[in-house]
Amino acid sequence: MSDNQQIHLTRRPQGMPQAGDFSFVEAQMPEIGEGQALVRTLYLSVDPYLRGRMSDKKSYVAPFEVGKMLSGGIVGQVEESRTPSLARGDIVTGHLGWQRYAAVTPGQVTKVDPTLAPISTALGVLGMTGLTAYFGLLDIGRPKEGETVVVSGAAGAVGMIVGQIARIKGARAVGIAGSAEKTEYLIRELGFDAAVNYKNDNFREELEKACPQGVDVYFDNVGGEVSDAVLAHLNKGARIPLCGQISMYNLEKPDIGPRIQPQLLINSALMKGFIVGEYAARFGDGVRELAGWLKEDKLKYAENIVDGFENTIEAFLGLFSGENVGKQLVKVAEPR
Amino acid sequence: MSDNQQIHLTRRPQGMPQAGDFSFVEAQMPEIGEGQALVRTLYLSVDPYLRGRMSDKKSYVAPFEVGKMLSGGIVGQVEESRTPSLARGDIVTGHLGWQRYAAVTPGQVTKVDPTLAPISTALGVLGMTGLTAYFGLLDIGRPKEGETVVVSGAAGAVGMIVGQIARIKGARAVGIAGSAEKTEYLIRELGFDAAVNYKNDNFREELEKACPQGVDVYFDNVGGEVSDAVLAHLNKGARIPLCGQISMYNLEKPDIGPRIQPQLLINSALMKGFIVGEYAARFGDGVRELAGWLKEDKLKYAENIVDGFENTIEAFLGLFSGENVGKQLVKVAEPR
């Protein structure tokens, strides 16, 4: 066995990704030059949006290259340093390659304060996931006290934080998820006011019952027919942050559905796509407020941690089966 | 013949409205009480959005009632007054019934300055039409110098003003209309940078050629397949004011098309429905700026005036045949 291992994209997935689209490649231990540090991967984040980068369609980030290493959010530990900015033992996070070891410059990573919360949260509630929920909901959704906020993919990493922030802001939180266990969990554990299972035959009626005052904010993680159902209940002046369209990611051609413009028009509603990177200048404020809510126990999070680098692909594929609750992570190694 | 005539809604149109959905009703001359004035209708505005009010579906305004008088934008002249706020001879505008004479209170109408521009413009470029273009484009579309603004229904009353304001703001204006005469007119007479006929077989290619830098703002008056074609060329951060969906108004069930959320998502694009009434507090500013552009000859307008109250329904139905250029008005009487 070699010192390092990487995960490469072997071919572009057609429709639903399969294990054969990826390969594990033995690699040399990276050598660090002056000004660099060697980081050992501890946690690796698998996220639905990565599916988009595996296609060569235009998207909000450049596609991965076939035959090259994949990348994503990583939490790691500095093993060796040739820069004064990083010390051996430091915990850091950044967008890095899917490999066991990486040579990084200080600009590629951010230090993680391990006293604030478990370090894995730097990939979840205190990282891109939490910030995506925070900025999408507060900047585009702008929920007001007493309004109804509906979130799809509510048991997912972003969705569960959206609903809780909606509650913190005094709004009514209604989650949409894909099993009775998940809807139970949202209501019992996370304090959602209501939650509806989109796989139920009477989903549309249940949704209507869960939103007796209509829908003021719809935070959309999934798209497709679930969203069609929500858009039928928009209130005047509704806001719709478009965060993801997971139901679309594995389709081979554009999906067809009822046109939504008439609904937006008659309600003077706003729909806006976003990516969290657009809010980079305000990340510090976001993390501070999220950490405060965690500390006050107003905000809970859930992680689903798969053990072992070798199980990364399985963890990624699992995102599309609708089974996971909360943030999906892979634990690659223990901190020393 | 009686003193007054009104137009009533006889039954709700199914699909495309027909002459038989309306009736002319003889009525008494309205009697004015203390604090009222008698207004004689001079011009009457027929607009596509009225179709929505003829259905009992939820829309942004309450539906018309069957068996009752229709209403819309009117320019009229005060014939007799029992209020100090209005004098005999004054020209006024307001949302009033479709009839030859009305009893009004001063709060229902606004005085029109006949020295500013022809009084019919109070229903067009200096009225709701111009203000719809002005606020939708500038408040939601926010075109910047050098950007590309595409407008559908470009030869319509709102569309032609949108394109000209885009040019005033230093943007490239691309119009979409339904005949070669219209596209010629937009380019030659109104100074659009390009115009494309959506009825041409190679519409999609012509549109792409007309927007070599992509689309930054799409002011949508029509919806349907025309909009599908435009949305394929959105730039990052595009803005889409939804003003109308004329292609949908006469459909009996929701139209189906490719889902647009993925396009909005990957471009972080914003789509927002609006009605001009939301900007009522700023109407004064809008009219002042529009009137200034008219005076400086930066803004042209076109009116299509049908003569005679008895031809009102014909003029309204003509809106949906795609023949008209500019603002469709009915001239009911001459000012005295």
Side-chain angles (χ1 to χ4, degrees):
Chain A
M1 190 172 151
S2 62
D3 310 317
N4 191 16
Q5 272 185 308
Q6 303 179 336
I7 302 175
H8 287 203
L9 182 67
T10 312
R11 60 175 183 223
R12 300 207 178 279
Q14 302 294 312
M16 188 68 77
Q18 299 179 351
D21 299 332
F22 310 96
S23 56
F24 287 80
V25 174
E26 302 297 318
Q28 294 207 312
M29 180 67 78
E31 286 194 22
I32 56 168
E34 191 55 42
Q36 288 190 312
L38 181 70
V39 169
R40 181 160 155 271
T41 302
L42 302 179
Y43 289 96
L44 178 158
S45 172
V46 294
D47 299 278
Y49 85 90
L50 296 169
R51 174 65 183 88
R53 296 194 63 189
M54 293 172 189
S55 301
D56 51 6
K57 281 186 295 209
K58 178 185 172 187
S59 187
Y60 43 72
V61 273
F64 289 121
E65 287 179 58
V66 172
K68 295 271 176 73
M69 184 164 57
L70 295 164
S71 62
I74 300 282
V75 163
Q77 188 167 33
V78 176
E79 285 265 306
E80 194 190 331
S81 180
R82 295 182 64 188
T83 163
S85 310
L86 294 170
R88 186 178 156 84
D90 279 356
I91 304 294
V92 294
T93 185
H95 188 99
L96 299 173
W98 280 9
Q99 57 184 342
R100 290 185 183 273
Y101 291 93
V104 306
T105 55
Q108 286 179 279
V109 293
T110 310
K111 282 194 209 180
V112 173
D113 177 356
T115 65
L116 206 63
I119 59 171
S120 59
T121 59
L123 295 175
V125 62
L126 298 186
M128 290 306 143
T129 306
L131 292 166
T132 297
Y134 181 90
F135 288 109
L137 181 65
L138 298 183
D139 200 74
I140 302 173
R142 299 173 179 264
K144 296 196 236 355
E145 210 172 314
E147 286 191 331
T148 298
V149 174
V150 174
V151 54
S152 58
V158 172
M160 65 171 55
I161 298 175
V162 168
Q164 293 180 84
I165 299 177
R167 298 259 322 155
I168 289 169
K169 296 292 175 184
R172 175 177 167 80
V174 178
I176 302 175
S179 74
E181 290 68 35
K182 288 181 180 178
T183 57
E184 272 293 278
Y185 172 79
L186 293 173
I187 295 169
R188 294 261 168 105
E189 299 294 322
L190 302 186
F192 278 55
D193 296 280
V196 185
N197 180 352
Y198 70 86
K199 291 182 181 162
N200 283 355
D201 284 342
N202 57 349
F203 162 59
R204 284 175 173 257
E205 292 139 55
E206 288 180 357
L207 178 67
E208 187 167 5
K209 230 186 292 172
C211 305
Q213 312 292 322
V215 176
D216 299 293
V217 179
Y218 173 44
F219 192 105
D220 185 11
N221 287 304
V222 308
E225 290 181 13
V226 168
S227 293
D228 296 342
V230 181
L231 297 181
H233 299 291
L234 292 184
N235 286 335
K236 203 89 158 185
R239 290 83 65 198
I240 304 157
L242 283 181
C243 177
Q245 294 280 290
I246 199 170
S247 71
M248 311 275 110
Y249 292 167
N250 297 315
L251 298 179
E252 301 199 32
K253 48 183 180 178
D255 194 30
I256 301 288
R259 294 187 190 278
I260 63 172
Q261 288 98 322
Q263 288 295 347
L264 300 181
L265 181 59
I266 65 173
N267 292 301
S268 291
L270 176 148
M271 176 176 271
K272 186 174 181 333
F274 75 101
I275 52 170
V276 67
E278 291 157 7
Y279 297 97
R282 293 158 58 192
F283 278 178
D285 296 343
V287 170
R288 250 188 306 285
E289 189 153 28
L290 288 162
W293 288 332
L294 270 188
K295 216 166 186 171
E296 297 166 39
D297 216 22
K298 288 182 178 167
L299 190 58
K300 294 179 185 173
Y301 63 95
E303 293 170 337
N304 191 18
I305 301 182
V306 164
D307 207 47
F309 186 65
E310 62 281 12
N311 295 317
T312 300
I313 295 308
E314 198 178 309
F316 173 67
L317 301 180
L319 295 172
F320 302 102
S321 65
E323 299 301 316
N324 59 318
V325 168
K327 179 65 188 175
Q328 183 65 51
L329 297 174
V330 177
K331 183 172 182 178
V332 179
E334 285 282 352
R336 307 201 207 247
Chain B
M1 189 172 153
S2 63
D3 311 317
N4 192 15
Q5 273 184 308
Q6 301 179 336
I7 302 176
H8 287 205
L9 181 67
T10 311
R11 59 175 184 225
R12 301 208 179 277
Q14 301 294 314
M16 188 66 80
Q18 300 180 348
D21 299 332
F22 310 96
S23 55
F24 287 79
V25 174
E26 304 296 318
Q28 292 208 315
M29 181 65 80
E31 285 193 22
I32 57 169
E34 192 55 42
Q36 288 191 308
L38 182 70
V39 168
R40 182 162 154 268
T41 301
L42 301 180
Y43 289 96
L44 176 158
S45 173
V46 293
D47 299 276
Y49 85 90
L50 296 168
R51 174 64 184 87
R53 296 194 62 187
M54 293 172 189
S55 301
D56 53 7
K57 282 186 292 209
K58 178 185 174 188
S59 187
Y60 44 74
V61 274
F64 290 123
E65 286 178 60
V66 172
K68 295 275 177 73
M69 184 164 57
L70 295 163
S71 62
I74 301 281
V75 162
Q77 188 168 36
V78 176
E79 286 266 302
E80 196 192 327
S81 179
R82 295 182 65 187
T83 162
S85 311
L86 294 170
R88 186 178 156 84
D90 278 354
I91 304 294
V92 294
T93 186
H95 189 100
L96 299 173
W98 280 10
Q99 58 183 341
R100 291 183 182 274
Y101 291 93
V104 306
T105 55
Q108 287 180 279
V109 294
T110 310
K111 281 193 209 181
V112 173
D113 178 357
T115 66
L116 205 64
I119 59 171
S120 59
T121 60
L123 295 174
V125 61
L126 298 186
M128 290 306 140
T129 305
L131 293 167
T132 298
Y134 181 90
F135 288 109
L137 181 64
L138 298 183
D139 200 74
I140 302 172
R142 299 174 179 263
K144 296 194 233 356
E145 211 171 313
E147 287 191 331
T148 298
V149 174
V150 174
V151 53
S152 59
V158 171
M160 64 170 59
I161 297 174
V162 168
Q164 294 181 83
I165 299 177
R167 299 260 320 156
I168 289 168
K169 296 294 175 181
R172 175 178 167 78
V174 178
I176 302 176
S179 74
E181 291 69 36
K182 288 180 181 178
T183 56
E184 271 295 277
Y185 171 79
L186 293 174
I187 295 170
R188 295 260 167 105
E189 300 294 324
L190 302 186
F192 278 54
D193 296 279
V196 185
N197 180 352
Y198 71 86
K199 290 182 181 161
N200 284 354
D201 284 342
N202 57 350
F203 161 59
R204 283 175 173 257
E205 292 139 57
E206 288 181 358
L207 178 67
E208 187 168 5
K209 227 187 297 174
C211 306
Q213 312 292 323
V215 176
D216 300 292
V217 179
Y218 173 44
F219 192 105
D220 186 9
N221 287 303
V222 308
E225 291 181 13
V226 167
S227 294
D228 296 342
V230 180
L231 297 181
H233 299 291
L234 292 185
N235 287 335
K236 204 89 159 183
R239 290 82 65 198
I240 305 157
L242 282 181
C243 176
Q245 295 280 292
I246 198 169
S247 72
M248 309 276 113
Y249 292 168
N250 297 315
L251 298 179
E252 299 198 35
K253 48 183 177 178
D255 194 28
I256 301 287
R259 294 189 190 275
I260 63 171
Q261 289 97 323
Q263 289 294 345
L264 300 181
L265 180 59
I266 64 172
N267 293 301
S268 290
L270 176 148
M271 178 176 269
K272 184 171 180 340
F274 74 101
I275 52 169
V276 67
E278 292 157 6
Y279 297 97
R282 293 158 59 193
F283 279 179
D285 298 342
V287 170
R288 251 188 306 282
E289 188 153 30
L290 288 162
W293 289 331
L294 269 187
K295 215 167 186 171
E296 297 165 38
D297 216 21
K298 287 183 181 167
L299 189 59
K300 294 177 184 174
Y301 63 94
E303 292 170 336
N304 192 20
I305 302 182
V306 164
D307 207 49
F309 186 66
E310 62 280 11
N311 295 316
T312 299
I313 294 308
E314 197 177 311
F316 173 68
L317 300 181
L319 295 172
F320 301 102
S321 65
E323 300 301 316
N324 60 317
V325 168
K327 179 65 189 174
Q328 183 67 51
L329 298 173
V330 177
K331 184 172 183 179
V332 178
E334 286 282 352
R336 307 205 204 243

